[in-house]
Amino acid sequence: MSEVVPRPRVGREFFEDLYAGSEDPWGFATSDYEREKYADTLAALGDEHFPRALEVGCSIGVFTEQLAERCHELVGIDVSARALGRARERLRDRPGVRLERLTFPEETAPGPWDLVVCSEVLYYLDEDAFALAVERLRAGLEDGATVLAVHWRPATSTYPLRGDEVHDRLRAELGDWHAFDGRRPRYRLDRFEGR
């Protein structure tokens, strides 16, 4: 039986190269998949409005623009300068939105947060970075934040983790805060509620 070799973390260069080749490499602004996922993600928040929110991996700001309607202050972070440049253009008329180039989980904007959204970002992390991400999410939950995670489920050949694996691990580590399971055929959505 062969040993499973962990895949390395997907680094900043991957994303910069991707955004150099395409304005919208995943079709965030055009795909039916993304539209459905965004609607379900917002629905999982109920009717709540959040004073302070953090979006990890905001990319070109398509979902950020929608999430901003539900937040007084929203900080979007991403590793890619190119993606953030496009997000700044999209969100230039949104006074409550701030964008920062940071590498989560080693870097993050200072909290506390009322909401943390991790949409299709945690499966890019290797084991050590994922463990640190869970620590950061746990600290946010302990401070009373709502944490929303959503990830693509089908297998990929490049990401260190699969979407189901990310969510299974989050449920194992943060299960005491688990409040909502929005599992779909192509993505998983879990809400964790701080107290």
Side-chain angles (χ1 to χ4, degrees), residues 75-92:
V75 178
I77 64 173
D78 203 279
V79 299
S80 169
R82 285 188 172 99
L84 287 172
R86 292 175 194 143
R88 284 188 180 95
E89 289 176 27
R90 177 182 301 280
L91 300 162
R92 65 182 171 271

Side-chain angles (χ1 to χ4, degrees), residues 29-153:
T30 58
S31 106
D32 291 338
Y33 164 79
E34 296 295 342
R35 266 192 294 281
E36 176 189 327
K37 183 187 71 177
Y38 295 157
D40 280 349
T41 303
L42 291 172
L45 297 174
D47 294 328
E48 285 184 65
H49 282 71
F50 299 88
R52 291 195 79 224
L54 174 68
E55 182 188 10
V56 178
C58 65
S59 184
I60 62 172
V62 176
F63 182 66
T64 313
E65 188 173 30
Q66 297 175 40
L67 186 59
E69 298 289 333
R70 308 286 293 279
C71 305
H72 179 71
E73 178 187 356
L74 173 59
V75 178
I77 64 173
D78 203 279
V79 299
S80 169
R82 285 188 172 99
L84 287 172
R86 292 175 194 143
R88 284 188 180 95
E89 289 176 27
R90 177 182 301 280
L91 300 162
R92 65 182 171 271
D93 296 326
R94 297 280 183 165
V97 177
R98 188 172 85 244
L99 301 171
E100 297 185 28
R101 185 182 188 196
L102 297 170
T103 302
F104 185 83
E106 294 84 359
E107 302 172 312
T108 190
W113 306 105
D114 301 292
L115 172 66
V116 178
V117 176
C118 296
S119 181
E120 309 227 34
V121 294
L122 297 177
Y123 45 36
Y124 296 121
L125 304 178
D126 60 21
E127 294 290 333
D128 291 340
F130 187 85
L132 179 57
V134 169
E135 285 179 31
R136 291 212 185 265
L137 296 176
R138 179 180 289 115
L141 288 162
E142 287 170 349
D143 285 343
T146 293
V147 171
L148 203 60
V150 57
H151 291 83
W152 171 257
R153 296 182 73 188

